[in-house]
Amino acid sequence: MFRTAVRNVLAHKARLLMTVLAVMLGVAFVSGTLIFGDTVANSYRQASAKKLEGVAVSVKATESEAGRGGHDRTTALDSTLTQKIHALPEVKEVRSTVNGTATLAGKDGRPVNADNHWRDLATNYQPGEDGKDSHFPLKEGRGPAAAGELALDAKTADRAGYQVGDTVRFATDGPALTKKLVGIVHTGNPQVSAGATLTLFDTATAQKLFLAPDRFDEITVGARPGADDRALTAKVKALLPAKGAEAIRGADLAAQEAAQTDKDTDYLTKTLLAFAGVALFVGVFLIANTFTMLIAQRSREIALLRAVGAARRQVVRSVLAEAALLGLGASAVGFVLGIGVASALRPLLNSSGAAFPDGPLVISPGAPAASLVVGVVVTVLAAWLPSRKAARIAPVEVLNSVGQGPASRSLVVRNVLGTLLAAPGLLLMFHVSTLRDTAASNLLIAMAGSALTLSGLIVLAPLLSRPLITLVGKVTTRFFGVGGKLAQRNALRNPRRTAATASALMIGLTLVTGLTVAGHSVQRNLDQVAAQSVVPDYKVSSSSDRGLGADAGDKIAKVPGVKAAVPVTSAGLRFKGHFGSITGTEPAQFDKLGNLEFRTGSPADVGPGKVAVSEEFARQTGLHVRDTMDAAAASGKGHAKLKVVGVYKDSHKVGDALGTLHDVQSLTTGKKLDHLLVTAEPGKAGDLDRDIRKALGDSPLLKVVSEEQLRNGDGKAVTSLNMMYGLLSMAVVIAVLGVVNTLAMSVFERAREIGLLRAVGLDRSGIKQMVRLESVVISLFGAVLGIGTGTFLAWAGGHLLSKSLEGYETVLPWGQLGLFLALALVTGVLAAIWPARRAARQNMLSSIQST
């Protein structure tokens, strides 16, 4: 029976081609994801190992307190502790590190990392006796040695356009600073290779910028040859102060960082594997359809095997052996393609801001093993039901002269099962439509309801195919006559087969449609909020925790072409055990914050010592108009007695309360401003961004965002949506292969029928038209189910966003939905090209004589 299985695979290579492609693509996605995960994890591990190379003990500051002036940080690590550690006989070298952030401005004056201040790394350059730092090998020039000098890593210097000798402008947490670039270095830091910048200062300058004098963030200890790391760690711990510092063995620190790396990359790998799982799940329909049709075509052959003594179990094993051989071969090729997928994933994800480090591809032994197992298991499982059908073929069917398979079974059991799945799913989704937030429990209910609904519709697809295909068939019959009528009859002839083919397309379009409807609805909501609000010509803010200075508004107001600069600040407050946020600005400028809908009172009532609160905050705290709120700052520093003069509808733009600039600043430290809303004189808006920057010191920390950018956003949502489309496209491609496969197999199966049609007068173009229309009917059936299901799930699930997105409602993107339907139509036409040509080229007499 094994030889029979091998012979069948070789004998039906053409008919199994699409199945091989489906398995191959699914396995390529799986193997590519596994290789990519191993590659990223290895890149981080190697960088971490290089950083910790030669480190026997690491001492880190566990607390960072405010130093002089209330802002500078200070730690428990100082030079005295460094000298004590260095005096230990087992110690070879000690390295004391200062860490901070320095945002660089490029040669063009704009920040190198405009939206990622946390990726602007900075540290101290620590030269040895030879004047060089072994951690940062020099490429050009020398290391910084004075207050007016700095060095950059090679990638940062290249991105910013700087060369040795240039003056570099940067900011740490305040005004712009300038220093001379004296050296360019190399670094193995994975964050730098992933897009972060690195700036190096001499130790004294780094301490002045980021810490207090004679203070460090970390001390790393190198041991002499033969020294016991554990014993050395114990001795170092004995030298540490009672609090504020901890020591860990270098090997233990490396293990911790490796474990954290595995944890971080594991989440990404699982997410990508979920998309690969969707592709494989779609492939199951194609595989099952293929084996079902093959068994129907080989019913006489299987009956003959039964007649000469093959048991039912042997027939099952033979079919499963075919599936295993097919899965093994396709998986092997898929794994090779997966290497290319892994190579493409890093630039694809990095284009959306993921910032994965460079590194060689890593193929662990588990990746090929898992790929082969997944491919073989999925193929065998998909072929299991068809193998059971094959085993039910009776030996007497060897006498069947036309080679037809067994009669179709009733759909009653399937319809009942589908109803039992779909009904609870629909009820759950209608329940979800009554929920208003994205709590974990609500998300679980939505996921369960979506899975049940989709599963139920897949099972009920044969039942749903008759009315939908009949409706589509009326259109094809009217416009294409006999060809359209034959296409409709062929699609309805075997509803299980048609449903399986259409279901694969339905799954892909359900996910794509749901994603599209949800994304479009969210974007429309944001657009409406922006349209209802007064959008300034510019919004000015800072990446620094200090925010903008209290006098920033006055400075910008003096810029020629600026009409007004509205200051806005916010603070956290605590009242009756509840935490909230309060927004403040000048009383005359409240309308600039958005169209607030007041339930009681009005914006004009808000003034010094008087605030308005949101409905939700009023409900939580029991506040009413004319009540007095003794609010404490959330930071614990400052409080204010505020009288409630109004209640407004919840608004994310303002938060829980609205007050004057002075009242809100009393709850903050340093009287900082969060941002400024700048309005320009007519015709002056286009050229103000550079003047605004200069007025505020031209710090690279400044973020000056134009009206167009405020309305359109930064494009990240669009990038993420396009990436999701790309990841789901594999499932859609496999679904299209399923349509091609079903039609091609159907042409083989109906060879005699096609010959008879030719004999009674249907020409070659009529045969092509019949096959094409059948493909279109099946594709449209899958598209209608998919678009309808995806829209419903997006509508129900979208209600979970009602609390976080004020005024959210589902808005159908009719243009895109129409495009999906048109693409399904085109897919049907394209998928039928090869099967239609093959059907039209069949010899009439040979086809009639086929059995």
Side-chain angles (χ1 to χ4, degrees), residues 19 23 284 287-288 291 320 322-328 330-331 373-384:
T19 304
V23 178
V284 165
I287 299 166
F291 278 94
L320 295 182
E322 286 183 51
L325 290 171
L326 182 71
L328 186 63
S331 299
V373 168
V374 166
V376 171
V377 169
V378 167
T379 310
V380 170
L381 288 177
W384 183 74

Side-chain angles (χ1 to χ4, degrees), residues 261 267 366 384 465 587:
T261 295
Y267 176 78
W384 183 74
S465 66

Side-chain angles (χ1 to χ4, degrees), residues 67-128:
R68 295 172 304 170
H71 181 75
D72 295 335
R73 293 185 301 118
T74 184
T75 69
L77 307 185
D78 56 17
S79 59
T80 302
L81 177 61
T82 302
Q83 293 169 3
K84 289 180 180 179
I85 294 174
H86 200 283
L88 294 173
E90 297 90 346
V91 173
K92 179 182 179 182
E93 63 177 358
V94 176
R95 182 179 180 86
S96 304
T97 305
V98 179
N99 296 318
T101 58
T103 302
L104 296 173
K107 271 292 190 66
D108 61 357
R110 301 187 182 278
V112 178
N113 281 331
D115 299 319
N116 296 291
H117 178 52
W118 58 271
R119 292 172 58 191
D120 298 321
L121 309 179
T123 189
N124 56 320
Y125 186 85
Q126 303 176 57

Side-chain angles (χ1 to χ4, degrees), residues 112-175:
V112 178
N113 281 331
D115 299 319
N116 296 291
H117 178 52
W118 58 271
R119 292 172 58 191
D120 298 321
L121 309 179
T123 189
N124 56 320
Y125 186 85
Q126 303 176 57
E129 295 180 359
D130 60 353
K132 299 179 180 179
D133 189 336
S134 60
H135 281 65
F136 302 107
L138 285 167
K139 178 184 178 183
E140 298 179 40
R142 59 177 177 82
E149 300 174 348
L150 59 75
L152 300 174
D153 77 277
K155 287 191 174 182
T156 299
D158 184 61
R159 288 173 60 196
Y162 288 121
Q163 297 179 349
V164 172
D166 288 343
T167 298
V168 177
R169 193 163 54 83
F170 68 96
T172 56
D173 195 25

